Amino acid sequence: MEPKTSAAVCGMGHSMKRKEDPRFIRGKGHYVDDIKLPGMLHMDIVRSPFAHARIKAIHTEKALAIPGVLAVITGETLKAYNLHWMPTLMSDTQMVLPTEKVMYQAQEVAAVIATDRYAAADGVDAVEVEYEPLPVVVDPFKALEPGAPVLRDDKEGKANNHIWHWETGDREATERAFAEADVTVKQDIYIPRIHVASIETCGCVADYDPAMGHLTVYMTTQAPHAIRTVIALVAGHVGLSEERIRVISPDIGGGFGGKVPVYPGYVIAVAASVVIGKPVKWVEDRMENLQADSFARDYHMTAELAAKKDGTMTALRIKTLADHGYADAAANPSKFPAGLFSICTGSYDIKTAFTEMDAAYTNKPPGGVAYRCSFRVTEAVHAIERVTDVLAQELKMDPAELRFKNFIQADQFPYKSALGWQYDSGNYKAALEKAMEKIGYDELRKEQAEKRAKGELMGIGICSFTEIVGAGPSKDFDILGIKMFDSAEIRIHPTGKAIARFGTKSQGQGHETTYAQIVAEELGIPAAHIQVEEGDTDTAPYGLGTYASRSTPTSGAACAVAARKIRDKAKKIAAHLLEVAEEDLEWETGKFFVKGAPQKAKTIQEIAFAAYTNHPPGMEAGLEAVDYYDPPNLTFPFGSYICVVDIDRGTGQVKVRRFLAVDDCGNIINPMIVDGQIHGGLSMGLAPALFEEISYDENGNISGGSFMDYLVPTAMETPNWETDKTVTPCPHHPLGAKGVGESATVGAPPAIVNAVVDALSHLGVRHIEIPMTPERVWNILKEKGVAE
Ligand code: CDP
């Protein structure tokens, strides 16, 4: 920190702050950007124009001369507190602010603290940084070549850009199966870098109260408790111990995994508030959000399938190179470096499989967030669903027929996959049959043949995916050692109304509705009488947050279990009130009644009142319960999607004419919310298939760093989604439910690619990389001599 003068910074100091205090004043809305606290300062960030450069000097004088600018924070400032680096979830390290060199374009270089946003922005423009450009590495394959510049020379003894190698499955058996196979296919598949691009960008208000030694951070986080613990672990040495930290995650305008990581902006704002003793607000703009926040995907995969002549799949092999940017900061709380990628055998009974992966450093932003998917499931599903179609093409088989031939059958569940997962339940055949019947698959194939004869390009694509969601169980998942359970706490008030609090945090998924429904269903209290709260670490029970479609599998389950604990106590109270033995009572939603005498009953409201006024002697007063639920297994939702496309031979434009999604997420709590989740997920699956990509030129300059270049589909580009469902309950979840929030993002892209390739398959096209932009498709049409 470089205060102009200590008086300038501290002049508005603690005593005045206490007078103005109110600890929690919100503005009009409930988003971070709406929060206004008395005396609040604003922070803006200086970012690097270079992708790799040594910092020779940072000149702050001109910035500090601007009225309203109070301080410029650099890496050296933070180094004094040992806060210039921070750990990542993947046991790597990431800069908060650099002291020696920058590693990607748009990296944070310094932060300006000012009395208002405008002064902070002017201050950013006035900070002068001298850089010495260094050789840039953007291609992960080149990054691993001998002689490539070593990017992480901050790590002692690091002599290359290799991060880790990971493999799972049986290498030798897979090699044998490939050697013995009648047919083998091999396909390179690249899933480019994309960004979650949620409507609300990231930001926080860090509010340190020096008088109380207490820090409140309002921030856009999907995991408030985990953040509290991380702050305590990283900054405990400067006095921030966990009982003095409160993290509040107010309304969140879309998370999708992008609001799981800890970004440097949060850390700098906290450090600034602690040093200055005033609230500091930081909210990034759209370009900063796209250019510097954690990316998703960026997997270079080679997928191979071995099969018998009749189409029976015998082995799968996938080799991947993962581009992690300059640090492995993947938001992956699993014990596996590549998350749940080993779900890649998909919905098929493939007895032998092997997958291996290497991760490389490049001059790009770090990250690897699970953008609306469970830690690399999207990549795995893309690989298996694409290579399945490549095999169908090789065998000249209908892709639906090939899938039916290889599906894990309904009576094989629980099913142990070749790569070690125990699938809970499924009926893949039923889902695909339903989809084919509903969309009129046979007629579409006839129409396609007729169109083809006329030179028109129409394609039908299928994706029959298996998801894997709901992290824990704690044996496989933890965040910095904290086991991945989740929680619910329900308290029934004397008048029979309730408050229910959870360790998860909705970002628009409707938890307030669905959790209230669960309590209502279990206890018979009307949903309108149940207040649902999440996101405040001072009040909510400890939890790991919302991502990976884990809320229903974990906190949803905890909610049911906690409600059942309450019902058990309610039964004792009812027996006392009715003067019968517990065994003589029966439950009907909302009341206990005496068996054979239904008029002798006590409602849950009467019981709640008695819990505080007339409970049995020796029993504790009150009616409440908490549950920390560690799921025995993940849940495995699935679906079959069918996409119909027409391709314009004049422009290469792909038009999604129809898209039908048949999903199965076990028992459904709220059908309307589930439908909304599927609609949103499908749009977010359409996006990378046709539009979105963040790429870099050879100097590491970003393209796709603003909404001018990063095309997020709007209502104009989004087709009418058709949805349907099958219901295969989860055998281990108290409500039989599986997660659903991400299924459609995972299942949509391969269905769309398969449809486009299908439209062109008679021309010898076997694969197209995403995004399938008009230019990319038109170049293929031109190459094949069918462009108009
Ligand atoms: O963790 P996240 O909330 O993103 O995902 P989820 O557990 O899949 O839930 C998304 C929304 O769908 C929540 O409001 C759930 O309660 C609801 N849902 C449902 O109604 N029935 C299911 N079987 C699964 C989810």
Side-chain angles (χ1 to χ4, degrees), residues 512-758:
E512 294 81 354
T513 305
T514 47
Y515 288 154
Q517 271 184 267
I518 297 174
V519 179
E521 185 68 25
E522 293 290 328
L523 292 176
I525 297 171
H529 292 171
I530 300 156
Q531 188 186 341
V532 171
E533 280 185 14
E534 298 176 298
D536 183 341
T537 56
D538 264 14
T539 52
Y542 200 98
L544 280 305
T546 289
Y547 35 86
S549 299
R550 66 187 297 275
S551 302
T552 306
T554 58
S555 273
C559 183
V561 174
R564 288 170 197 179
K565 288 180 188 172
I566 287 175
R567 210 159 67 196
D568 288 345
K569 181 168 179 184
K571 191 175 192 183
K572 292 188 193 333
I573 299 171
H576 166 70
L577 296 176
L578 293 164
E579 296 178 340
V580 293
E582 274 187 66
E583 305 73 65
D584 296 332
L585 289 177
E586 244 175 75
W587 171 257
E588 181 190 285
T589 308
K591 65 179 179 199
F592 278 107
F593 64 91
V594 179
K595 282 179 197 161
Q599 73 287 1
K600 287 187 76 184
K602 287 289 168 194
T603 64
I604 189 75
Q605 288 76 12
E606 288 169 317
I607 296 168
F609 197 66
Y612 295 87
T613 58
N614 181 20
H615 44 289
M619 178 188 272
E620 265 181 66
L623 196 56
E624 61 186 64
V626 58
D627 190 71
Y628 292 86
Y629 188 83
D630 182 358
N633 191 4
L634 289 140
T635 68
F636 295 75
F638 59 93
S640 268
Y641 292 178
I642 302 183
C643 174
V644 184
V645 298
D646 297 298
I647 299 174
D648 185 328
R649 284 174 48 194
T651 62
Q653 186 139 21
V654 173
K655 181 170 185 292
V656 177
R657 190 203 310 173
R658 286 187 72 188
F659 194 109
L660 170 66
V662 173
D663 272 276
D664 193 320
C665 60
N667 290 335
I668 290 174
I669 297 156
N670 187 313
M672 213 170 163
I673 285 187
V674 167
D675 223 35
Q677 292 287 304
I678 301 294
H679 276 233
L682 290 172
S683 302
M684 285 185 126
L686 175 82
L690 295 182
F691 308 110
E692 295 178 357
E693 176 173 17
I694 287 183
S695 59
Y696 295 82
D697 71 12
E698 65 204 18
N699 295 316
N701 294 311
I702 191 168
S703 71
S706 82
F707 275 170
M708 290 296 286
D709 308 307
Y710 192 76
L711 184 55
V712 175
T714 66
M716 291 295 289
E717 290 82 23
T718 307
N720 176 42
W721 305 117
E722 301 169 58
T723 58
D724 208 329
K725 61 174 183 295
T726 58
V727 176
T728 313
C730 172
H732 62 77
H733 186 280
L735 302 169
K738 304 182 182 188
V740 77
E742 301 162 335
S743 292
T745 326
V746 169
I752 300 170
V753 183
N754 287 348
V756 175
V757 173
D758 182 62

